[in-house]
Amino acid sequence: MQRRTFLLASAAAAATTSLLSMTNPSAAAPLEVPLLAPWKGPHGGAPSFAKVKVTDFKPALLEGIERNRTEIAKIAGNKAPPSFENTIAALEDAGRPLDRVSAIFNVYTSTMNDKEMQAVEKEMSSILAAFNDEVIQNAALFARVKAVYLTREAAELSPEQQRLVWVVYRRFARQGAALGDADKVRLADINKQLSVLYTAFSQNELGDEEDHWLTLEDAELDGLPDWLRASAAAAAEDKKLKGKFLFANTRSAIEPFLTYSICRDLREKAFRMWTSRGDNGDAHDNNVAITEILQLRAEKAKLLGYPTFAHWITDYQMAKTPDAVMNLLLKVWAPFTARVREEVADMQKIADAEGAGIRIAPWDYRFYAEKVRKAKYDLDESEMKPYLQLEKIREGMFWAAGQLYGLEFAQVHDLPVVHKDVRVFDVHRADKHIGLWYFDPYARAGKQSGAWMDGYRDQERFRGGITPIVSNNTNFVPGKPGEPILISWDDASTMFHEFGHALHGLNSNVIYPTLSGTGVVRDFVEFPSQLNEHWLPTKEVLSRFALHYKTGKPMPDALVTKIKKTHTFNQGFITVEYLACAIVDMKAHLAGATKIDPRAFETATLAEIGMPEEIVMRHRLPHFGHIFSGEGYAAGYYDYIWADTLVADAAEAFEEAPGGFYDKPLAKKLYDCIISRGNTVDAGEAYRKFRDRDATVDALMRDRGFPAPPKA
Ligand SMILES: [Zn+2]
């Protein structure tokens, strides 16, 4: 998931806050507000986290808006005829102080969101939304943008400039710049209401994760591995429950509990707590908010001239139409639900053989899947874990990025950080400073769960050049001092994923900030991240960095082989729990003005598509932050599988290359065609350049264990 939104990793937010980053102040602005000041210091300058007081955000954001407003007025009121330079380029250079304070504000709302910060976020989100509309709806400004757009062919612009004009014009037009006055007022009102609802939704989700937990006694821990007991004991101690064991209501605590606990009733209890986040009929209940959000989005889409919100979203993406999305989703749905039935049969067989006397239920899936893995592949999670040390995996990511892109990473200690857990790495290529990578690894109160990438500053070569600053955020439980933190295979994969987003930002080599790095269309944004996951299972990484935490010995070949063999294991579950979310997301946003009761809608839609009863959605609607905490992945949760069809196809290119995943010419082609290009080229075209053809769904099916169709 990606940037300036919330949870997953990074690029999606670019789409939602793009306007804020498009608008930057240039002129000699007074610099007395520290949060607005240029980022100074070594390593190309960095955010001034040391100077942040939560009470400063509101005045700084308001001042940033005011300065931006002055700049916009100047651009819009220019007496000279509209040109690329005095309109589009001027917009690129406007809003920089506001960008700076917004970047730090986003770090606080996503990782330091205590009660005080939540109040500021609540107040400021609608003010920021209103300012965004003010810029979009500025008729004089849009007239100039449109004039440049209409004359772009004759204006002797470079291809990147032409692209920028198109992107900026589309952004204004699709957000309603051309609407009549009454519609503009209504649209701004809708956006303001939505911003309030988005903030409430994510704060409720966080609230339910922090206010509920499971407290257990020693005798209730049967089946749990030592590392899980230890982290539960530490979590209990944090809450002054010495001698007890606490499982927080977060994915990183509940999923392992469901995998290992032999107490079926406790598994059910944990499962129900976890899957009813935002759905408890209390102060954190999100159901009413969902209905309102969907109604407002439907009305917004109509105002903007689209049949539904899903049409409005997809029109701007690679997919172009909801039909194209649904075609893909339904094409893969049938084979994967069939695969689930096979998986359940395997699990039921084991349960029967044990005389468990049960029918596999959703809270049994992970537990029995683990048993099947052991029986079928002689592999269990705790066999891999001793080889997966968090810091070694990080070094492995660095190493692979060095092989692919020539990047080197060196930790620096002379830059301020938002919290003592955060580390900063200077990134360079040969002697050239490339950017900064911030790493915020551990869970803490006020930090969103999950893992994501956040872009603090986009790369640009415009106006002298600026290097990118990106961060990766995860929620590992901190270990005891000096003890390595052991993570799961999935977590290691997530590390590579988020780092893939970071590399997309760091490798960016474009002129204009709007077109930089991860600012691509959002169904393409997961391509670099998901592709980067493919370097973890390479022998080159595992033999160097999957080292046993006690002996320092690399993971044995036999274990590596077993891991590779299990690559397609449990793909029915993984794919279906995801696909169900993507389909429900699309259908909810295709429903138009129909008033939706989230619980009933979810149940009916899942029944209609034949959801296996042993699985629930990975994110049920009441805590589906991707689509309701903002517009980042709304009608866009399909992005992951859309990108994955490209990823599987691109991975086959590496498999077939003479140098495999470390093939230098192919890595260079990837860099030249995609990773360094940001949004300067159309995503489909960029991919075609890389692969010399389009992708089909075939490679994805092969990757996930379906033999047909064979390679052409
Ligand atoms: Zn991602």
Side-chain angles (χ1 to χ4, degrees), residues 43-55:
H43 317 290
S48 47
F49 289 116
K51 291 178 184 151
V52 174
K53 287 204 296 290
V54 169
T55 46

Side-chain angles (χ1 to χ4, degrees), residues 676-697:
S676 67
R677 298 300 301 274
N679 194 19
T680 58
V681 280
D682 172 78
E685 214 167 282
Y687 189 80
R688 221 165 290 130
K689 269 225 162 88
F690 168 67
R691 199 62 166 114
D692 304 312
R693 58 165 175 75
D694 283 320
T696 68
V697 76

Side-chain angles (χ1 to χ4, degrees), residues 505-516:
L506 289 167
N507 276 311
S508 176
N509 186 10
V510 306
I511 297 170
Y512 299 101
T514 286
L515 303 179
S516 186

Side-chain angles (χ1 to χ4, degrees), residues 1-2 8-11 451 497-498 501 525-526 529-530 633 640:
M1 164 147 173
Q2 183 193 5
L8 300 196
S10 121
H497 176 105
E498 302 308 338
H501 285 305
V525 91
E526 299 298 330
S529 56
Q530 292 180 171
Y633 290 79
Y640 293 94

Side-chain angles (χ1 to χ4, degrees), residues 70-98:
T70 308
E71 295 169 313
I72 298 287
K74 209 171 138 204
I75 297 168
N78 195 336
K79 295 281 174 281
S83 68
F84 177 86
E85 261 319 304
N86 72 21
T87 306
I88 306 294
L91 278 172
E92 284 294 284
D93 204 27
R96 293 187 189 274
L98 182 56

